[in-house]
Amino acid sequence: MGTHLGAQTISRPLQALARQTLPLDRFEVIVVQNGPPDDTAAVLDAVRAEHPDLVIRRAQCAAAGLGRARNVGMNMARGAYVTFVDDDDTISPNYLAALLECSGPDTVGLGHMADVIDGGPPNYANRLSVQLSLAGRRLSPGDIILALTYSVGKMMPTERARAIGFDPALRSGEDIPFYISFFLEHDDLSIKVCPIDAHAVYYRSVRPGSLSRPELSYQFNVTERLEVIERIERLHPTRHWQRRAAKHMVRGQCKFINEFLLDRPEQHAAVLADIHDRDLQSILYRRLNQGLAHTLVLAGTAPPSVHPDAVRVAEGIRDAGTVVDVICAAPPPDGTQDKTLRAIWRPFVESILRVEPADVDPESWAWANRYWLQGSEFIGSQTHKDPYRVLHSTAGNSPAATLLAAWYKLAHPRTRWIAEYPKTPPVPAQAAIGHGPDPALLVALTRGLRRAGCALPEDGGPRAWAQQVCAALADEVRAPAAVRR
């Protein structure tokens, strides 16, 4: 049990340990103080006096750090198995006995978790509740990756845990690289989930300012999360489940960063600079950027296509330096692709829809209708955000993006629409106009043009319509160039 200035809370977990159904002579409690001294020693003395059969050993670390404290505790441990209890949490009476029953030299016992929020009743409806359905089962680590994301609630062979150790340089999240390393190094281990009727429950205290509910800060939400991702990348997992576990852990760290950026989006550039300086390759930008896009980019093509328009779109998004959602055409399967081009814009993209071309002429109404139908459905799915503040449509080799942009502008007049003018190609394509625009799209564009006092285009093709609505409705019309804020 590592403790840092925990004199006010440590009595509760110690009292819970004293009330275990496992005989007190079967286990010891090692308390490791890390950081400045407080009244913890006096609290330990009081508990010893009340429960003289409870073996409590105490150590002191001058430097703060939960990983460092746990390493000291594991080095002191004399038992065959070890488990961790935080100094502000508590456990059910049968917790240790049930974990020990499920543990073995090749097995990690896993208990269940309930949150206790601000001293209220236990709440099992947390992110770990899925483990309840696995009660009583023996699983491989790859079948229950979630169990690797937190440090408590498990019982491990002491020698095996001691051989891995926690990274003492990590200020938080030290359990994540520890457990990935633990199961990478000892790939013969399985996990046994305690049966429900064993009543092996860890009661996690969730309080404002605790590690379970920290206050937002660049230090905790960004710097310390990137430090954890650095450690994960150093592990180089080889098996499929190990790579899935590493990706899951990185996603969790990106979630913390995202929570900070949702509150302080102006720090996005600083976060990207930190990622670049650390040369991190596993960042899941779509998770990191979730909810940050207030600009929608509509393009004819985009990476991994190597078409010059695709590269121009990606470079424009990068140079604008703001997070965007993107709708574009999927590259044709027989087209030249370079997946490395995605690195140009990936740090600035939240969500992307690639409309499948399926050999449809980009100048036809068939393609314009498909782009509009799929694009409008994608836009409607973004229910977690307000209407886009900025809309940017590129001309490219198809007028479809301009038509979708006009439809969106008519539905959201306050959105600023910056449009590249869809000029007629030097050699006009002989497109099959087909059956014309989708009726709903036609009604919207017709009303918009008439409201703006503009005539309907004489040419019934999609490019003529795109030129007309662009000139009439866009807030800014310009020649193809970089994407702007």
Side-chain angles (χ1 to χ4, degrees):
M1 183 184 300
T3 180
H4 177 78
L5 299 177
Q8 300 301 314
T9 61
I10 197 171
S11 178
R12 291 180 59 250
L14 292 176
Q15 293 290 347
L17 287 163
R19 294 192 295 269
Q20 290 296 294
T21 59
L22 186 69
L24 297 184
D25 61 359
R26 296 284 307 278
F27 69 94
E28 62 181 356
V29 180
I30 300 173
V31 177
V32 183
Q33 288 184 255
N34 60 103
D38 64 353
D39 294 332
T40 296
V43 176
L44 300 186
D45 289 341
V47 174
R48 288 192 188 100
E50 184 178 355
H51 304 283
D53 293 331
L54 179 65
V55 178
I56 302 177
R57 302 168 63 201
R58 173 177 170 270
Q60 178 77 46
C61 288
L66 188 54
R68 182 179 289 105
R70 286 174 175 160
N71 286 341
V72 170
M74 287 193 294
N75 288 333
M76 292 176 60
R78 297 174 294 195
Y81 299 96
V82 62
T83 189
F84 303 113
V85 178
D86 288 343
D87 66 356
D88 57 349
D89 296 335
T90 187
I91 54 178
S92 61
N94 202 48
Y95 181 76
L96 292 182
L99 276 183
L100 186 60
E101 178 68 23
C102 290
S103 302
D106 60 354
T107 307
V108 173
L110 177 66
H112 302 286
M113 180 85 72
D115 289 339
V116 178
I117 302 173
D118 298 331
N123 179 15
Y124 292 88
N126 53 50
R127 69 184 184 92
L128 306 178
S129 60
V130 64
Q131 294 175 186
L132 294 171
S133 64
L134 302 173
R137 294 178 58 184
R138 181 183 297 274
L139 305 162
S140 72
D143 294 327
I144 189 168
I145 289 174
L146 194 61
L148 279 61
T149 64
Y150 59 98
S151 58
V152 298
K154 292 175 281 291
M155 183 173 283
M156 303 166 286
T158 303
E159 286 297 332
R160 290 186 163 203
R162 185 185 291 150
I164 301 300
F166 291 87
D167 187 334
L170 289 177
R171 290 165 282 189
S172 62
E174 66 289 327
D175 46 334
I176 291 172
F178 169 80
Y179 279 109
I180 296 180
S181 300
F182 180 77
F183 285 103
L184 257 66
E185 182 69 23
H186 308 302
D187 60 1
D188 61 315
L189 285 170
S190 60
I191 296 175
K192 175 69 179 293
V193 186
C194 291
I196 296 293
D197 58 9
H199 304 295
V201 183
Y202 187 98
Y203 299 107
R204 179 174 59 179
S205 175
V206 181
R207 298 173 291 103
S210 70
L211 287 180
S212 299
R213 191 188 291 178
E215 296 180 359
L216 291 174
S217 70
Y218 196 96
Q219 175 66 36
F220 179 86
N221 289 80
V222 180
T223 302
E224 294 179 20
R225 306 287 62 77
L226 296 181
E227 289 173 350
V228 171
I229 294 174
E230 280 184 314
R231 303 313 194 274
I232 295 173
E233 289 193 357
R234 294 175 189 171
L235 297 177
H236 303 295
T238 56
R239 297 174 62 181
H240 177 64
W241 80 262
Q242 295 167 352
R243 291 192 295 270
R244 284 197 303 114
K247 185 174 182 178
H248 182 89
M249 305 302 184
V250 171
R251 181 180 292 110
Q253 302 309 296
C254 289
K255 177 179 179 291
F256 278 105
I257 300 173
N258 174 254
E259 290 172 352
F260 175 81
L261 288 175
L262 287 173
D263 186 67
R264 302 168 199 179
E266 72 280 359
Q267 293 291 318
H268 189 264
V271 171
L272 294 187
D274 268 1
I275 292 171
H276 179 268
D277 290 345
R278 298 171 188 269
D279 193 27
L280 298 176
Q281 303 299 312
S282 62
I283 299 295
L284 301 175
Y285 285 105
R286 292 192 190 177
R287 184 64 189 90
L288 186 145
N289 290 332
Q290 189 171 322
L292 296 177
H294 300 292
T295 296
L296 175 62
V297 174
L298 306 176
T301 185
S305 170
V306 298
H307 191 283
D309 284 343
V311 178
R312 179 174 62 83
V313 168
E315 291 177 342
I317 290 173
R318 177 200 62 196
D319 295 344
T322 189
V323 179
V324 301
D325 287 339
V326 179
I327 299 175
C328 63
D334 57 348
T336 304
Q337 299 183 26
D338 182 356
K339 293 185 178 181
T340 62
L341 292 176
R342 291 174 176 167
I344 298 174
W345 70 344
R346 186 182 291 125
F348 303 96
V349 174
E350 177 185 345
S351 299
I352 183 169
L353 169 68
R354 298 184 186 274
V355 182
E356 294 295 333
D359 298 325
V360 177
D361 188 333
E363 290 287 336
S364 69
W365 275 117
W367 172 245
N369 289 338
R370 177 180 298 176
Y371 193 98
W372 171 72
L373 285 168
Q374 293 187 26
S376 59
E377 183 178 347
F378 168 82
I379 291 168
S381 70
Q382 306 298 302
T383 55
H384 60 284
K385 59 181 67 172
D386 296 328
Y388 294 103
R389 299 170 190 167
V390 180
L391 177 64
H392 185 102
S393 63
T394 64
N397 64 345
S398 170
T402 305
L403 296 173
L404 176 58
W407 171 83
Y408 188 86
K409 173 67 176 180
L410 290 168
H412 304 282
R414 293 186 178 181
T415 297
R416 179 171 176 76
W417 177 18
I418 303 171
E420 291 180 359
Y421 186 73
K423 61 184 180 179
T424 303
V427 181
Q430 300 299 315
I433 293 176
H435 298 294
D438 184 283
L441 176 60
L442 177 61
V443 168
L445 298 182
T446 299
R447 287 177 178 173
L449 287 176
R450 287 176 174 168
R451 209 176 290 148
C454 298
L456 302 184
E458 296 181 4
D459 181 347
R463 186 167 292 275
W465 274 87
Q467 291 172 343
Q468 195 80 333
V469 295
C470 178
L473 304 176
D475 298 285
E476 180 183 345
V477 180
R478 53 189 177 80
V483 176
R484 299 179 184 174
R485 287 183 184 272

